[in-house]
Amino acid sequence: LVTSGGDGLVKLWDVSHGVRQLQLLSVLSGHNHSVIDLDATRTTLVTASRDQTLKIWNISQLNKAHLRFTI
């Protein structure tokens, strides 16, 4: 599960044990404003922000997710 919000943070969650036992895997920071859209594949996450940037993240290892580049 991937969530985002007004704080500019994107959070990756493990939901394999059900929604009542969510486990936070990674917090991705880098946007300076609200994250307003996102799209993901198994290995890549793209986030769009009100700071007028797109960020491409490597999420192939969820607990070691990291920024690839910014557009």
Side-chain angles (χ1 to χ4, degrees):
L1 175 66
V2 181
T3 62
S4 63
D7 58 4
L9 298 176
V10 177
K11 297 178 182 177
L12 306 176
W13 301 88
D14 177 359
V15 294
S16 62
H17 301 291
V19 249
R20 293 180 185 240
Q21 296 181 15
L22 290 175
Q23 179 184 357
L24 182 61
L25 297 174
S26 290
V27 177
L28 307 176
S29 61
H31 286 293
N32 296 321
H33 211 288
S34 304
V35 175
I36 56 173
D37 201 5
L38 53 88
D39 194 17
T41 67
R42 285 183 119 14
T43 60
T44 303
L45 172 67
V46 179
T47 56
S49 172
R50 290 196 186 278
D51 64 12
Q52 299 181 357
T53 62
L54 290 174
K55 296 198 179 285
I56 316 295
W57 308 87
N58 179 339
I59 59 169
S60 57
Q61 292 182 301
L62 295 177
N63 60 342
K64 296 181 181 179
H66 63 277
L67 182 65
R68 284 187 185 165
F69 56 91
T70 300
I71 301 173

